[in-house]
Amino acid sequence: EDEFAYLWQAKVMAAGRIAVPSPPEPESFFVPFVVDHNGLRFGKYPPGWPAALALGAAAGVPFWVNPLLAGLAVWLTYRLGQRLGGDLAGLLAGLLSATSPMLLMLSGSLMPHLLSLVLTVGWTLAWFELFLQSPHANLQGPRRSIRIAAAGGSLGLMILTRPATALAVAIPFALHAVYLLVRFRRRFLRDLVAIGAAVLAVAAILPLWQWIQTGEPWRNPYTLYWPYDRMGFGPGSGPLAEGHTLHQAWINTRLSLTAWQHDLFGWPFLSW
């Protein structure tokens, strides 16, 4: 169902639009997770992945986008492993990624996970090259500016693709940024401010997108489809009358981690 909505929105964006007028009888033209609101019809999801998928849709090959991203993800993972542990570590990381059932399955879908993976690894690699420099690194001038733009652009695009994922990814790096400011004072301040400005400049598209679609910059289009589809706990969050609870969150987390442990590399209960 998600893929139907993503592909529908991608085709709209490939035509140079972000929404279309609602049909006279919307129920007769039902598309999963596509919303009719204030006379407009649009997908409920953030714009990052539909925009990337629109490039494939415009060329008539939307199913090529995720396989190409999978190849890029494997190469970036190799580069990250090489950066942290040398050539052998990079090759092993790339091999594990290329043979992961999760990566292979998602590369045959129209889901946004591989774009998120590419952006996460790209952000991490750029950050490490900026702030965990090797003794032989010489990142000055244009090379440093490119890394700053890559880092800020990657996290900003991740916010446009999967905002909650972007928040989770950013937290440890934010802690590292605090450490850098405390430990080195003003040495990295300009770089950190530049990265933050780039992130905010790209991420500002999200409230603008929501304002154009819903009339409110902070109105999540998810709630236009299911009013309870919001983050949080208690009544109004989740489909149950009592709302989402910490107990349900624990059950969901445990089941998700079990599936991850079992399926990530195709080795039952040995993937960790």
Side-chain angles (χ1 to χ4, degrees), residues 100-144:
S100 166
M102 291 298 296
L103 183 136
L104 294 172
M105 176 184 70
L106 290 168
S107 69
S109 77
L110 297 176
M111 298 293 283
H113 300 76
L114 283 174
L115 177 58
S116 300
L117 175 60
V118 166
L119 295 173
T120 299
V121 182
W123 153 263
T124 304
L125 184 59
W127 182 277
F128 285 172
E129 291 197 348
L130 284 167
F131 303 119
L132 294 179
Q133 296 178 9
S134 68
H136 307 292
N138 184 25
L139 285 180
Q140 300 298 332
R143 294 186 65 200
R144 194 166 194 85

Side-chain angles (χ1 to χ4, degrees), residues 135-196:
H136 307 292
N138 184 25
L139 285 180
Q140 300 298 332
R143 294 186 65 200
R144 194 166 194 85
S145 299
I146 290 172
R147 300 308 193 279
I148 290 172
S154 293
L155 186 58
L157 288 172
M158 206 188 314
I159 293 171
L160 299 184
T161 304
R162 293 173 67 89
T165 299
L167 176 62
V169 168
I171 287 174
F173 293 93
L175 296 176
H176 186 225
V178 172
Y179 164 78
L180 292 173
L181 291 174
V182 172
R183 175 69 175 81
F184 299 102
R185 302 296 180 181
R186 300 177 62 87
R187 178 180 172 187
F188 296 114
L189 179 60
R190 181 179 297 180
D191 290 348
L192 292 171
V193 169
I195 291 173

Side-chain angles (χ1 to χ4, degrees), residues 16 31 41 89 106 140 185 244 258:
V31 181
R41 170 167 279 208
L106 290 168
Q140 300 298 332
R185 302 296 180 181
H244 195 45
T258 299

Side-chain angles (χ1 to χ4, degrees), residues 23 26 33 37-38 64 82 95 123 151 172 187 192 194 197 256 263:
F33 300 142
H37 181 71
N38 290 340
W64 280 16
Q82 183 189 46
L95 178 64
W123 153 263
R187 178 180 172 187
L192 292 171
S256 296
D263 296 338

